[in-house]
Amino acid sequence: QVQLQESGPGLVKPSETLSLTCTVSGGSLSSYYWTWIRQPPGKGLEWIGYIDNSWITNYNPSLKSRVTISVDTSKNHFSLKLSSVTAADTAVYYCARFFYSNSRHNWFDPWGQGTLVTVSS
Amino acid sequence: DIHLTQSPSFLSASVGDRVTITCRASQGISSYLAWYQQKPGKAPKLLIYAASTLQSGVPSRFSGSGSGTEFTLTISSLQPEDFATYYCQQLNNYPRTFGQGTKLEIK
């Protein structure tokens, strides 16, 4: 079964770039879509974007100018970069498989355990 | 963006109760809706997709219904492990969006 694990720095300085990696086990990156979601402490969920199995990306317009999602097939992981961060970017960041069925129905499952990133000097 | 409004935002109930959470979309999304359960400090867990299809391994006391703009998640008989926060998510339009969450607490 597919499992995901986020990794990366837990503290980023304002104006710098947040970089996270999601390592996938039990499945091939080229078989599915992959996505990032974040959750500020005590708040709700915000979709960040996805990368599909042709390595085409789609980002939330609210973050599009600052976000890059990419894949490294040799390491079976995908990555998130968010530039020019501020305190408002402090959140738990989750990666997940973005599953598309033949019927066009789609959903996020499974999710990684999440990693807290704090933006502070 | 499609806005999802969940009601209620907070719900207090007892073990054995039947509870229903509603999710309303700002425009029609057919049946492209999922429900997730999140416990403190944990990642969301998929419960239902396509508005009414139970994810494998999810207890049958959970059920979903609806289409268009109004959807419901029902738990037929609350168990202690069901006390958590529940989120709906629309998967018809980009950007994908979530409801604000419903926190289900023990009465």
Side-chain angles (χ1 to χ4, degrees):
Chain A
Q1 68 187 42
V2 172
Q3 293 183 304
L4 300 95
Q5 176 70 59
E6 304 90 348
S7 59
L11 182 64
V12 180
K13 289 182 168 55
S15 80
E16 295 190 345
T17 295
L18 177 160
S19 296
L20 295 174
T21 294
C22 181
T23 300
V24 178
S25 58
S28 170
L29 286 175
S30 59
S31 298
Y32 301 101
Y33 294 18
W34 306 93
T35 190
W36 288 95
I37 309 101
R38 70 179 183 178
Q39 184 173 38
K43 296 188 177 182
L45 299 160
E46 180 182 31
W47 176 70
I48 298 171
Y50 78 79
I51 187 163
D52 72 14
N53 53 3
S54 297
W55 317 142
I56 295 170
T57 54
N58 186 339
Y59 303 131
N60 191 325
S62 68
L63 298 167
K64 186 174 183 176
S65 63
R66 300 193 290 132
V67 171
T68 303
I69 297 175
S70 60
V71 159
D72 185 335
T73 54
S74 67
K75 297 179 181 177
N76 218 44
H77 73 214
F78 61 105
S79 300
L80 169 70
K81 291 188 186 300
L82 181 66
S83 64
S84 305
V85 297
T86 69
D89 296 309
T90 293
V92 175
Y93 286 76
Y94 296 101
C95 58
R97 182 178 61 176
F98 186 175
F99 191 92
Y100 256 95
S101 71
N102 293 336
S103 66
R104 193 181 158 249
H105 280 291
N106 56 101
W107 53 87
F108 294 176
D109 180 71
W111 296 51
Q113 66 183 28
T115 187
L116 174 63
V117 179
T118 301
V119 179
S120 175
S121 55
Chain B
D1 297 8
I2 292 179
H3 187 69
L4 298 178
T5 303
Q6 291 181 230
S7 58
S9 294
F10 297 93
L11 180 56
S12 182
S14 301
V15 172
D17 284 353
R18 178 185 179 90
V19 299
T20 297
I21 299 168
T22 298
C23 177
R24 289 186 174 86
S26 59
Q27 63 189 77
I29 56 170
S30 184
S31 59
Y32 294 96
L33 188 104
W35 289 97
Y36 299 87
Q37 176 193 66
Q38 187 178 34
K39 296 183 178 179
K42 300 294 186 182
K45 172 190 170 185
L46 177 69
L47 298 176
I48 287 169
Y49 60 90
S52 60
T53 302
L54 205 63
Q55 171 69 338
S56 175
V58 174
S60 59
R61 62 181 180 272
F62 290 92
S63 64
S65 65
S67 183
T69 60
E70 188 155 333
F71 302 85
T72 59
L73 172 70
T74 298
I75 309 172
S76 60
S77 178
L78 275 173
Q79 298 302 300
E81 59 269 29
D82 299 337
F83 292 94
T85 299
Y86 293 84
Y87 292 94
C88 58
Q89 180 199 21
Q90 67 82 18
L91 297 127
N92 188 61
N93 289 60
Y94 288 103
R96 299 301 197 237
T97 50
F98 295 87
Q100 83 279 12
T102 295
K103 187 173 183 179
L104 178 53
E105 298 180 324
I106 301 174
K107 183 182 288 185

